[in-house]
Amino acid sequence: MRRLALLLVLLLVTGAATPVAAAAPAHTVSYDRYSLKVDGERVFLWSGEFHYFRLPSPELWRDVLEKIRAAGFNGVSLYFNWAYHSPAPGEYDFSGVRDVDRLLRLTEELGLYVVARPGPYINAEVSGGGFPAWLKQVDGRARSSDPGYTAAYREWLSHINPILARHQITRGGSVIAYNVENEYAANTDAQYMQDLQDTARAAGIDVPITHNQCCDASWTPTWASGLGAVQIPGVDDYPQSFECQTPDVWGPWGPGTTERLSDNAPVYAAEYQAGAIDLNRAGYDRCRELTGPSYMRYFYKSNLITSGATMFGYYMAFGGTNWGWLGQPNDVYTSYDYGAAITESRQLTDKYAEFKRQGYFVRAVEPLRHTDTATAPPSSDAAVETLARANPSTGTQFVLARSLDGGSSTLDWSTPDGRYSVPVTVGARDALVLVAGYDLGGQRLVWSSSELMTHTRSGGRDVALLYGRTGTDGSTVLRYGSRPAVQVLAGSVRSSFAGGDLKLDYRHEGLSRVLVTGGGRPPMLLLLGTNETAAEFWQFGSVLVRSPSLVRDATVSGSTVTLRADTSARTSVEVFAPARRLVVGHGVVPTRTTSSGSLAGTLRGPDPVRLPTLTGWRTQREPVADDSGWTVADRGLPSGTYGYDQGHVWYRGHFTAGGTETAVKLNAITGKNGVYQVWLNGTYLGWAKGGTQADSDAPVNPDPGPGTFTLPPLAPGTPAVLSVLVGNMGHNDDWTADDTRFKQPRGLVGAALIGADTPVSWRLRGNEPDPVRGPFNTGGLLGERAGWHLPGHRSGDWRPAPDTLAPGVTWYRTEFALDLPRDQDVPVALRFDGTGAYRVLMYVNGWQMGQFTADLGPQKEFVLPAGVLRTHGKNTVALAVIALEESTPGPVSLVPLANHRVR
Ligand code: GAL
C-alpha cells in the first residue's frame, strides 16, 4: 500500500501521471502549377505580413493575429530578425518578447499558416536589414559565400532553423513554406542561395522553399532555375511606391501584375503592397489613402484574374513600432504603422473591410484555387475592361470587370449554363470579380452581377452573401428544376422564372434578404448587400455574424452559439447559425428570432475611461562623468569597433592647448536624421547633422554637415576637453548586397584641430545591451548607463522641471498609476506637443518606446502596448530630452486611442 502511494506521488511529481496532449496530426505539403496542397487538398494562401519584433508584447500578438484571421486571412508571413535575437557573436536569445516558439504556437492555435522568412537578410526597414551590428566587424562580404559571413549566418540559422522545423505543418505545426534571403537581386551569389537551402534541409526543413524576388520578373535572377533555385519563386510588388504625400497618383511603379516565374509552381505574390513606408513624412494616414480600398480593389482583384496567383503575402497586415533603435534610419521613424489595414494601435480601418470582402471570397469559392486563362465576355463599353479565368474541372468562370474612369456596360457572357447579356456598372478606379457556373452549396449560381463575398451551409439551408456598390443595380441568376417559391424578407427585389432560371433584380441598398425554397434544391437565404453592409459580416466555420463590431470567433455547441466580440459602442448583433441561444464572452445575450431565421440582439459598449494627467516631473542633467574609465579609442574613432552599436555615444577628446587652435573639425556618421553636439570645457559649441546613407560610389558620406566648430581662444598650456555626443540612428540596410551601406561606420570618423596639429586623445562610452529588453533598447547616454530610465531608479534628489532647457541632455521622470477596466481594451499613446530644436527619447517602465523629433515631425503620438504599459498598476516614464539649442519643450500627455469592451 505504502509503495503504491509512493509510486503515485512519484508519478505526480514527475508528471508521468498527467495525460499528455496528443501530438497534433502531421500533414503533407505539396504543390503544382496552380496552388499549394495540404494533404492533397488545394489551399489558397491568403496571408498578411506581421513583425513580432515590432510589437514587444506577446499578449498582444494574439490580439493582432485574431484580427488578421477574422479578416479572412488564412496565413501570416513572418520575418525573423537575426539582430533582434543576437546582441553579440555566439549570443542568442529567444525569451520574453523574443519567444518565437510562443508566436508559432499561437499561429497553430489560431489555425493560421505561416510563411517563415528567417533571412538571414530581411530588409524590412529594420536596423541593418536584420543583420546584427556585430556583423559589420566580420570580414567578408555579407550576402555572399565568403567564409566570414558564412560562419556568421550559419550560426543564426543553427538557432532559428530548428525552431521553425518543429513548427512545420509536416510535424503538426503551422509553417507551410520557408522563404530564403530577401529580394536577392544585386551582387548575387548562387552558391550562397544554395547553401541557405541546403542548411535548411539539413535542419529538417521539408516544406517548400520560396524566395521573394524584387520587384517584377524583369529583375534577374528570379531563382526559378539553376544553382540556388527555390521551389516556389515569388515576386514582390509595390506598384503604388511610397509617395504618400500624393495619395491620388496611381501606379508609379507599374501595373503591379503578379508574374509567373515557374511552370511547375503556383504564382506567388510574396510581398504585395498593402501599405507604405512614409518616406516623405506625410503621415501614415496618407499612406493608408495611397494604398486604400480603391487601390486594393483594382490591383488585388486584377491579380486574381490576370495571374491566377494563389499565394499572397500582403505587406503589411499590421506594421507596429520601431521601438528602441530597431528602425533603419533612412526610410522610417518610430511608427511603422505602414498605413496598414490594422493600425499601429491595433484598430481596424476601411482597408480591413476591403480585405475582408476579398479574403472571404477567396476562402469560400474553392474553384478559384485552380484556374486557367479563359476568354473574357466582350464588354459593350470600352471603359469597362474584362478579363477571365476558368476552373478546368468545374468550368466555373471568374470575370474581372475593371475600370479606371468608371462606366456601365453590357457583357455578352457565355457562361457554362448559357449565353447571357449581363449589365454591369463599375465605378472609377474600381474592379469586380463576377462568378458564373458555380455549384454554391446545394445551389447552382448561373451568374451574378453582384460580387459573391461568401456562402455557407447552416441549419440545412444555404446562405449566400452578395454585394455591390451602393445605388448600383444587381442581378443574380440561379438554376432550378422547377419554379421555386421566392419570399422577399427585406428590401425590394423582383424575381422572374424562365427556362429553369430564377432571376432576381435589385438595387444594392442596405441589405436585402430573399428566401428561396423548393425548385428541387435545399432552401437558400440570399443576403444582398452593399460594400458597407457586406463588410459587417463575419464568418467562422459555418457561422455567419452581422455586427459593425469586431467578431473574433464563433462556435456552436448544441443549441448555443458563442461569440467573442469587441464593441466600441452599443451595437447590434445578428447570428446566422442553427442555435436558439446566444452567448457573447461569458454572458447570455437576449435575442429575438428574425424572419431570416437568425438571432438578433444588442451588445453594450465600453464604459468611459479617463487617463491620468502626467504631473510631478523631476529632472536631472545627464551626469557629468569622469571619463577615466571609458574606452580608449586606440583603434580609430568609429564606435562599432568597440562594440558600441546602438543609439548615442559620448566621446571625450583631451588635449593641451598650444594657443593657436581656432576650431575643431569633426565628422560624425549617424545615419540619416542623426545629429551630434559639441562642447569645449563644458561650453556648448553647437550641433551638426551627422553623415547619412552612403551610396555605392561614396562609401562614407564626405558631407556630414557643417562639422567645423569655432573654439574660444585658449591660452597655451590650458588643459582642454572636447565632449561630443553622437546621436546614432540605427544601421543602414544592405539592399545592394555590397556592404557599402550596411558596413558604414557609426560615431565619430574624423576629428582634427584647426590652427595647430595638437594631438587629441579620445575616449568613448556607448551602450550596453539590456539583457531583458534586448539589444536595441538603449544607447549610451550616461543616464541610460546609470539606469535612469529604469523603473527602479530613485530620483529623490532630482529637481522640479525648469521651463527652459540648456543644450544637451536633460532627464525627466514621473510615475502614474492605471487601473483600466479588465474587460476593456484601451490602447494608450504618449503624446508630445511642441516644436523646436529638441528630441525626446521616451522610456516606459524601462522600455524605449520611441523618439519624438520636435525638429522633424511628423509623429506626435507614440503607442504604448499593454504589457510594456502596466494597465493595472504603477508605471514609470523617463524622458531623455536632447536639446540642440536652448529649448522650451511642449507638454506631454497620455491619450486613449480607442476604447473597446472585449469579450
Ligand atoms: C521590400 C522588402 C521589405 C520591405 C519593403 C518596403 O522590398 O522586401 O522587407 O523593405 O520592401 O517596406
Side-chain angles (χ1 to χ4, degrees):
M1 213 30 207
R2 278 186 60 198
R3 284 181 60 186
L4 186 66
L6 188 69
L7 185 70
L8 266 176
V9 168
L10 264 177
L11 279 173
L12 284 172
V13 169
T14 57
T18 325
V20 176
H27 301 279
T28 60
V29 188
S30 58
Y31 62 90
D32 62 12
R33 67 177 264 114
Y34 295 107
S35 74
L36 282 168
K37 295 178 189 176
V38 173
D39 296 334
E41 298 284 324
R42 291 197 181 281
V43 168
F44 198 114
L45 182 70
W46 187 256
S47 73
E49 182 90 20
F50 170 66
H51 297 161
Y52 64 92
F53 41 86
R54 286 187 159 117
L55 183 57
S57 171
E59 291 295 323
L60 293 181
W61 294 346
R62 171 183 286 278
D63 176 68
V64 172
L65 293 178
E66 281 184 353
K67 285 171 177 163
I68 288 175
R69 183 182 67 160
F73 288 105
N74 64 351
V76 279
S77 297
L78 305 175
Y79 273 140
F80 294 85
N81 181 351
W82 179 3
Y84 194 66
H85 297 274
S86 182
E91 283 178 36
Y92 287 84
D93 185 353
F94 293 92
S95 65
V97 299
R98 290 171 295 280
D99 186 352
V100 296
D101 244 314
R102 177 171 176 179
L103 173 71
L104 292 166
R105 279 199 307 273
L106 250 176
T107 59
E108 281 153 22
E109 211 181 293
L110 296 174
L112 288 167
Y113 294 126
V114 169
V115 177
R117 312 208 299 155
Y121 183 73
I122 61 171
N123 208 61
E125 291 77 58
V126 282
S127 183
F131 282 154
W134 58 257
L135 188 68
K136 290 168 79 163
Q137 313 303 325
V138 170
D139 283 340
R141 200 183 85 207
R143 309 180 76 186
S144 79
S145 45
D146 192 283
Y149 172 67
T150 303
Y153 78 70
R154 285 191 184 157
E155 185 184 280
W156 158 241
L157 294 178
S158 77
H159 286 88
I160 192 68
N161 277 343
I163 300 176
L164 301 177
R166 64 176 174 261
H167 287 283
Q168 292 176 104
I169 279 199
T170 48
R171 301 192 194 171
S174 53
V175 175
I176 194 168
Y178 177 101
N179 187 122
V180 286
E181 250 286 345
N182 192 83
E183 298 188 337
Y184 193 45
N187 299 305
T188 55
D189 176 338
Q191 187 52 53
Y192 163 55
M193 271 298 269
Q194 189 58 48
D195 188 64
L196 292 176
Q197 297 174 63
D198 295 346
T199 306
R201 294 295 186 217
I205 300 292
D206 54 14
V207 294
I209 293 183
T210 67
H211 175 69
N212 56 322
Q213 173 62 29
C214 181
C215 298
D216 60 46
S218 66
W219 286 62
T220 52
T222 57
W223 305 110
S225 60
L227 186 68
V230 297
Q231 289 171 291
I232 307 183
V235 182
D236 291 354
D237 226 312
Y238 291 80
Q240 293 290 71
S241 84
F242 304 115
E243 308 297 326
C244 302
Q245 75 284 9
T246 48
D248 285 343
V249 178
W250 256 34
W253 285 1
T257 305
T258 286
E259 302 192 41
R260 172 171 287 283
L261 298 182
S262 162
D263 284 339
N264 311 315
V267 177
Y268 178 24
E271 282 176 29
Y272 203 86
Q273 182 166 19
I277 44 178
D278 186 16
L279 271 187
N280 298 294
R281 295 185 171 241
Y284 283 113
D285 286 343
R286 290 279 100 83
C287 300
R288 214 175 324 276
E289 240 178 283
L290 177 75
T291 57
S294 175
Y295 152 76
M296 294 168 73
R297 282 198 290 268
Y298 193 91
F299 283 75
Y300 297 0
K301 289 180 188 176
S302 290
N303 267 327
L304 293 179
I305 305 307
T306 54
S307 73
T310 56
M311 292 175 70
F312 287 86
Y314 287 102
Y315 192 104
M316 302 287 303
F318 165 85
T321 306
N322 292 312
W323 64 282
W325 296 105
L326 180 64
Q328 168 256 57
N330 295 293
D331 303 324
V332 287
Y333 42 90
T334 298
S335 174
Y336 196 74
D337 175 278
Y338 216 81
I342 304 173
T343 68
E344 185 186 9
S345 60
R346 301 174 288 106
Q347 304 310 300
L348 312 185
T349 64
D350 59 352
K351 290 180 62 174
Y352 184 90
E354 184 55 37
F355 265 127
K356 190 149 56 127
R357 286 184 287 262
Q358 295 192 32
Y360 280 26
F361 167 68
V362 299
R363 182 172 67 187
V365 183
E366 288 185 25
L368 192 61
R369 300 171 198 179
H370 179 191
T371 60
D372 292 313
T373 307
T375 310
S379 161
S380 67
D381 177 353
V384 176
E385 184 189 3
T386 52
L387 291 156
R389 299 189 80 77
N391 182 301
S393 320
T394 65
T396 308
Q397 295 178 2
F398 300 93
V399 169
L400 174 77
R402 67 179 177 189
S403 183
L404 282 174
D405 301 319
S408 290
S409 170
T410 302
L411 311 186
D412 175 7
W413 194 346
S414 295
T415 77
D417 301 312
R419 188 169 168 190
Y420 296 86
S421 283
V422 177
V424 290
T425 301
V426 187
R429 289 184 166 184
D430 202 354
L432 314 174
V433 173
L434 306 178
V435 182
Y438 177 43
D439 289 323
L440 183 157
Q443 318 295 324
R444 177 71 176 175
L445 177 67
V446 177
W447 60 264
S448 178
S449 62
S450 301
E451 290 189 276
L452 177 60
M453 179 155 147
T454 187
H455 63 90
T456 182
R457 171 62 72 88
S458 168
R461 64 181 185 178
D462 290 305
V463 182
L465 173 61
L466 294 110
Y467 67 98
R469 205 152 51 85
T470 303
T472 59
D473 289 332
S475 303
T476 296
V477 175
L478 296 153
R479 179 140 307 170
Y480 288 91
S482 56
R483 179 188 288 270
V486 178
Q487 203 185 339
V488 178
L489 304 172
S492 151
V493 180
R494 279 155 296 135
S495 68
S496 53
F497 186 77
D501 282 355
L502 173 70
K503 184 159 184 270
L504 303 171
D505 296 296
Y506 45 88
R507 180 153 291 175
H508 298 108
E509 219 119 60
L511 185 73
S512 304
R513 302 165 184 235
V514 182
L515 184 64
V516 186
T517 48
R521 295 189 183 273
M524 177 185 217
L525 177 67
L526 274 153
L527 302 169
L528 306 166
T530 61
N531 292 357
E532 293 72 29
T533 52
E536 291 179 351
F537 280 84
W538 305 87
Q539 186 179 8
F540 296 89
S542 64
V543 183
L544 263 188
V545 183
R546 182 186 181 196
S547 177
S549 305
L550 163 70
V551 179
R552 294 174 182 271
D553 202 3
T555 47
V556 183
S557 166
S559 60
T560 300
V561 59
T562 304
L563 307 185
R564 289 179 44 236
D566 295 13
T567 46
S568 54
R570 188 180 160 83
T571 39
S572 57
V573 62
E574 183 180 358
V575 186
F576 298 81
R580 289 193 302 277
R581 189 165 162 266
L582 173 64
V583 172
V584 181
H586 297 291
V588 175
V589 174
T591 52
R592 63 184 174 83
T593 303
T594 71
S595 60
S596 311
S598 55
L599 293 178
T602 305
L603 301 178
R604 82 184 165 104
D607 295 332
V609 164
R610 275 184 63 106
L611 296 178
T613 311
L614 296 177
T615 55
W617 292 103
R618 311 281 295 176
T619 62
Q620 182 69 283
R621 289 289 285 182
E622 173 90 335
V624 182
D626 165 19
D627 60 38
S628 57
W630 291 16
T631 306
V632 176
D634 51 7
R635 286 173 288 138
L637 288 171
S639 47
T641 314
Y642 309 95
Y644 296 141
D645 282 322
Q646 310 301 339
H648 292 83
V649 181
W650 271 108
Y651 287 83
R652 292 276 170 80
H654 292 260
F655 63 96
T656 304
T660 55
E661 298 84 358
T662 55
V664 59
K665 189 164 191 234
L666 297 172
N667 187 350
I669 299 204
T670 55
K672 192 172 170 186
N673 294 325
V675 292
Y676 63 103
Q677 297 177 269
V678 191
W679 289 260
L680 180 84
N681 292 341
T683 301
Y684 191 51
L685 303 184
W687 66 279
K689 289 183 179 175
T692 60
Q693 173 88 62
D695 47 42
S696 350
D697 45 16
V700 173
N701 188 338
D703 178 25
T708 303
F709 299 86
T710 306
L711 299 178
L714 290 167
T718 314
V721 188
L722 284 163
S723 296
V724 184
L725 177 62
V726 181
N728 294 314
M729 297 292 283
H731 302 275
N732 296 336
D733 61 38
D734 191 29
W735 200 71
T736 43
D738 59 5
D739 281 356
T740 53
R741 297 140 64 113
F742 163 58
K743 285 199 175 160
Q744 188 185 66
R746 289 288 176 265
L748 274 183
V749 294
L753 291 169
I754 294 176
D757 45 14
T758 317
V760 182
S761 61
W762 289 95
R763 289 171 184 269
L764 70 163
R765 172 149 275 193
N767 70 300
E768 273 185 327
D770 180 320
V772 174
R773 300 171 185 86
F776 291 112
N777 194 57
T778 44
L781 290 176
L782 300 178
E784 291 176 301
R785 291 284 305 234
W788 288 8
H789 61 297
L790 295 171
H793 181 72
R794 296 193 181 283
S795 49
D797 59 340
W798 291 28
R799 290 177 296 278
D803 287 342
T804 306
L805 300 181
V809 187
T810 308
W811 284 80
Y812 285 65
R813 282 175 67 96
T814 193
E815 290 176 350
F816 66 93
L818 284 181
D819 191 15
L820 299 176
R822 295 221 176 243
D823 55 356
Q824 288 181 211
D825 178 8
V826 181
V828 174
L830 202 52
R831 181 182 168 94
F832 290 79
D833 286 290
T835 53
Y838 69 96
R839 296 175 176 194
V840 184
L841 292 178
M842 63 201 79
Y843 309 79
V844 175
N845 301 322
W847 297 79
Q848 202 234 101
M849 291 314 298
Q851 181 175 195
F852 169 59
T853 49
D855 58 327
L856 295 174
Q859 191 178 353
K860 283 183 181 326
E861 291 179 349
F862 296 79
V863 176
L864 309 176
V868 164
L869 185 72
R870 291 193 196 108
T871 46
H872 304 96
K874 196 181 78 176
N875 290 277
T876 307
V877 190
L879 308 175
V881 181
I882 301 165
L884 306 178
E885 285 154 20
E886 195 175 82
S887 303
T888 309
V892 185
S893 51
L894 292 171
V895 290
L897 298 178
N899 183 7
H900 302 274
R901 183 176 295 282
V902 180
R903 317 159 176 82

